[in-house]
Amino acid sequence: MRWIKFTNPNLIVFYLFAAGVFSLVIPAKQVSATIYVESKEGITGSDPGKNSSLLADNTRSKTNNTVSLNKQTTPVGIGTTYEAQSDPDSVVSNLNEKRSELGGVSEEEIQAPVNDKQYDQDKVRDYKKRNYLFYKIFGEERLLDLKNEMLNYGRNHFAGLTRFFYSSLIDQLFSYPVIIVFTFLIFFFIAHILFVLMVLNYSSQLKNNNERYIRIYRDYYERITLSYLFDEMDWNTYVSRLKKFKKHKNRKILISILLNLHDNLKGGFDAPISQIYAKLQLEKDSYKSIHSFLYHHKVSGLHELTNLYPSGAIEVLPALMNHSNESVRSEAQKAYILLHPEKPFDFLRTLDKSFSRWTQLSAFNLLRLPHLNVPSFSRYIRSKHHDVRIFCMQMIIYFQQLENISLIFYVLESRHELIRFLAYEAINDLRLFEGRSVIKNEFRYETERNKKEIVKALCNIGTDEDIDFLEIIFKSESIALQIEACRTLYYMSPESRNRLLAMRKEAKSDLDLFVAHITDSRN
């Protein structure tokens, strides 16, 4: 069993909440708000006159002339207040008269009940002040009624020691209201845990039942669909055996089966599968998915129409080519490439949104299909989107398209570093010798990465006229450019190699290391 991590965020929040409640609710001093005084006559009121009479009666009954003053108070719980008392001086004068009749009773003994009542009154007032928040939340009268009902229940249903412990428990519970708060929190968290467990159990059962339902009908629909495609049954029999076909879930199951068969069955099965899709009017479900406000439903609906009902997909493509959601837009662009084999990339002319990297990779993968024509990507190189220009340059390099070479030099004026890098790479890979002077002029304005690509290009398209240019780079640029210039001088021509080896006589201590590095087959 794993140990409980006390740094768990949920526990930390609980600690902070409990500490806040504790500081607001618990009293500063551990004093009880209830003062019980039990006598033989039960619980009586708090009238000073009655106290004086009771004092006289009890004093007469004592044989040793000692006075026992019974303090009678009303049980005070949370939310109760002492009623206005008589003036203490009048109480003392009344007791003095009683004392004259009784005799032998000191003034301190008579004054004690009055002082005790004042002390109890101060304790209750202090308790109410410190538990103001608890009063405010639950209400004074309701708490008092609840406490009295619980005490009455104990008197009526318990006896002896059990009633004593029960009364003590209720007294402590209402004297320290933080106990009620923590009890409520405990029950709340227990109920919360039970609710979460019930929800998890229900969702798990629902998921298992749904998966079992889909698995059963998928196997059944796939079996009878294959029987129909291999002419083992006619159309009427096939339709009659499609159980619960009217349900939306079952129609989606059948569409997924037709998509799977369309991707995996070749040799003339595409037409029968599309006929099943059209005859059963499954395109209506795909149209509903396309018009859904959920993006993944739009993507799945468009994918279904593209593969099983191409004419319907062509109708909805224009509205989705520049959709705000990238997934929907990417699916629409791939569908356009598949459904327009003659001009698969004409949508780049009207593209207003970005051409994502994932869509570029998918488009390149689709170009490898045999029925798609590879267009001249130089016609899209003037697009206002730099990602379209990047894709076109990559395709020009990959397919070695030499038409409209002047547009490659046009790209060198771009502000985007990657586009200029691809232009230098194209000049190198396509062996555009007329670009030699152009890239030399751009060298001083380029970044480190592009400078390195220019030097690499001179290795293939450079001449002996570029030896001085490379020698300057070797002597003045960074280590990475020095290594690349050394490599270019070594492999560009015999004249450049001799020039490089002649430089050993100069004060260039690192030259031998550079030559050893570039001639090593591991580099």
Side-chain angles (χ1 to χ4, degrees):
M1 180 182 294
R2 295 182 179 179
W3 292 98
I4 297 176
K5 294 183 178 180
F6 291 97
T7 57
N8 187 288
N10 296 327
L11 288 177
I12 292 175
V13 173
F14 175 75
Y15 296 154
L16 295 176
F17 178 77
V21 174
F22 187 83
S23 63
L24 290 175
V25 176
I26 193 168
K29 297 181 180 179
Q30 295 183 353
V31 295
S32 175
T34 308
I35 303 172
Y36 290 100
V37 179
E38 295 184 359
S39 64
K40 296 180 182 181
E41 299 176 1
I43 301 174
T44 62
S46 57
D47 186 10
K50 293 182 179 181
N51 287 332
S52 302
S53 300
L54 183 61
L55 174 64
D57 295 338
N58 290 336
T59 304
R60 294 190 187 95
S61 64
K62 299 296 181 179
T63 59
N64 56 359
N65 293 328
T66 60
V67 180
S68 175
L69 301 176
N70 293 326
K71 295 178 289 183
Q72 305 297 324
T73 60
T74 303
V76 180
I78 298 176
T80 61
T81 59
Y82 280 97
E83 295 181 357
Q85 303 295 326
S86 301
D87 186 10
D89 296 334
S90 61
V91 174
V92 172
S93 61
N94 293 333
L95 290 179
N96 289 331
E97 296 177 358
K98 295 291 183 179
R99 186 183 60 182
S100 61
E101 299 176 0
L102 297 174
V105 181
S106 65
E107 184 177 352
E108 288 78 7
E109 290 177 333
I110 298 175
Q111 189 70 21
V114 179
N115 294 333
D116 288 343
K117 288 183 180 294
Q118 185 66 30
Y119 174 72
D120 294 339
Q121 199 171 10
D122 292 340
K123 287 197 297 182
V124 172
R125 189 182 301 106
D126 180 69
Y127 181 81
K128 290 183 61 179
K129 181 179 179 181
R130 297 180 184 276
N131 293 278
Y132 174 77
L133 180 62
F134 202 66
Y135 283 109
K136 199 69 175 177
I137 295 175
F138 297 101
E140 181 177 350
E141 295 182 358
R142 283 181 292 180
L143 288 175
L144 180 60
D145 294 340
L146 176 62
K147 180 178 180 180
N148 292 334
E149 290 179 3
M150 297 178 71
L151 289 174
N152 291 333
Y153 179 86
R155 296 190 190 98
N156 296 331
H157 294 83
F158 302 122
L161 190 61
T162 304
R163 182 171 60 183
F164 171 77
F165 282 112
Y166 177 80
S167 300
S168 300
L169 178 62
I170 298 301
D171 180 61
Q172 293 294 326
L173 184 64
F174 282 86
S175 298
Y176 304 100
V178 70
I179 300 177
I180 301 177
V181 175
F182 275 104
T183 304
F184 172 77
L185 289 176
I186 291 171
F187 280 107
F188 173 77
F189 282 113
I190 292 175
H192 178 71
I193 292 172
L194 293 177
F195 175 76
V196 171
L197 291 176
M198 292 174 59
V199 171
L200 290 177
N201 182 54
Y202 175 77
S203 60
S204 177
Q205 291 182 358
L206 190 64
K207 179 182 177 181
N208 293 335
N209 293 336
N210 186 54
E211 291 178 351
R212 181 174 177 273
Y213 182 91
I214 293 176
R215 183 174 63 254
I216 291 174
Y217 277 94
R218 177 182 288 278
D219 295 340
Y220 175 71
Y221 285 164
E222 185 175 0
R223 185 171 63 253
I224 64 174
T225 301
L226 287 174
S227 299
Y228 172 76
L229 291 175
F230 287 100
D231 296 330
E232 296 180 3
M233 65 177 65
D234 57 8
W235 174 254
N236 294 330
T237 305
Y238 173 68
V239 174
S240 63
R241 296 184 64 179
L242 289 174
K243 297 180 179 179
K244 297 185 178 180
F245 178 66
K246 299 295 183 180
K247 295 181 65 175
H248 176 72
K249 182 187 295 186
N250 292 58
R251 292 171 70 87
K252 299 300 290 185
I253 293 173
L254 183 57
I255 290 175
S256 65
I257 292 173
L258 294 178
L259 281 173
N260 185 42
L261 295 177
H262 178 270
D263 293 337
N264 294 283
L265 290 181
K266 306 298 179 183
F269 284 100
D270 291 348
I273 292 174
S274 299
Q275 289 176 3
I276 295 175
Y277 182 83
K279 288 183 178 180
L280 295 177
Q281 298 182 347
L282 296 175
E283 73 276 4
K284 295 182 178 179
D285 297 82
S286 299
Y287 280 126
K288 289 181 181 179
S289 298
I290 289 178
H291 292 94
S292 173
F293 64 92
L294 298 176
Y295 295 141
H296 67 279
H297 287 179
K298 290 179 180 290
V299 172
S300 63
L302 183 58
H303 180 70
E304 295 164 3
L305 290 178
T306 302
N307 291 276
L308 301 175
Y309 196 65
S311 60
I314 293 175
E315 296 176 359
V316 299
L317 278 180
L320 301 176
M321 294 301 297
N322 290 294
H323 197 273
S324 59
N325 183 263
E326 183 177 339
S327 300
V328 178
R329 187 171 65 251
S330 176
E331 187 66 30
Q333 291 166 0
K334 290 187 291 184
Y336 187 96
I337 295 173
L338 286 173
L339 300 178
H340 298 82
E342 298 299 328
K343 297 180 179 180
F345 289 94
D346 269 9
F347 69 91
L348 295 177
R349 298 179 184 273
T350 59
L351 193 63
D352 295 333
K353 302 292 184 178
S354 61
F355 193 39
S356 66
R357 297 286 292 175
W358 174 250
T359 310
Q360 295 178 31
L361 182 61
S362 302
F364 173 70
N365 187 51
L366 292 174
L367 279 175
R368 303 169 65 181
L369 297 177
H371 67 281
L372 289 180
N373 296 326
V374 179
S376 177
F377 286 96
S378 58
R379 68 180 67 173
Y380 312 117
I381 204 121
R382 294 181 181 273
S383 174
K384 63 181 180 179
H385 297 287
H386 67 271
D387 47 4
V388 174
R389 295 199 298 272
I390 291 173
F391 175 73
C392 292
M393 291 299 303
Q394 291 172 335
M395 295 298 101
I396 287 173
I397 296 171
Y398 182 83
F399 292 107
Q400 296 289 297
Q401 295 181 348
L402 296 175
E403 58 270 19
N404 296 327
I405 294 175
S406 59
L407 291 176
I408 297 178
F409 300 136
Y410 163 77
V411 172
L412 291 175
E413 301 175 1
S414 175
R415 296 182 179 179
H416 200 279
E417 178 187 355
L418 180 57
I419 296 177
R420 297 196 308 272
F421 174 84
L422 293 173
Y424 297 133
E425 185 179 359
I427 292 173
N428 183 18
D429 292 346
L430 301 179
R431 303 297 190 265
L432 302 180
F433 293 94
E434 57 270 32
R436 180 174 58 88
S437 59
V438 177
I439 62 176
K440 287 170 60 177
N441 294 332
E442 296 293 334
F443 180 84
R444 69 178 68 180
Y445 307 109
E446 280 298 346
T447 60
E448 183 79 9
R449 179 189 182 190
N450 289 358
K451 285 181 178 180
K452 188 175 179 180
E453 189 63 29
I454 290 173
V455 176
K456 290 172 64 176
L458 290 176
C459 183
N460 295 316
I461 65 175
T463 63
D464 294 340
E465 298 176 358
D466 303 319
I467 294 177
D468 294 336
F469 176 75
L470 293 171
E471 185 177 349
I472 295 173
I473 296 174
F474 182 77
K475 293 180 179 180
S476 60
E477 294 291 341
S478 64
I479 298 297
L481 286 174
Q482 289 177 14
I483 294 175
E484 202 60 45
C486 183
R487 191 193 310 275
T488 300
L489 286 170
Y490 192 86
Y491 291 106
M492 187 174 66
S493 66
E495 180 67 24
S496 63
R497 180 179 298 182
N498 295 332
R499 183 73 170 271
L500 178 65
L501 297 177
M503 293 170 60
R504 289 182 177 180
K505 300 179 182 179
E506 302 178 6
K508 190 66 178 178
S509 59
D510 294 336
L511 181 57
D512 292 335
L513 295 177
F514 288 162
V515 173
H517 175 77
I518 64 176
T519 55
D520 192 340
S521 59
R522 293 173 298 178
N523 297 321

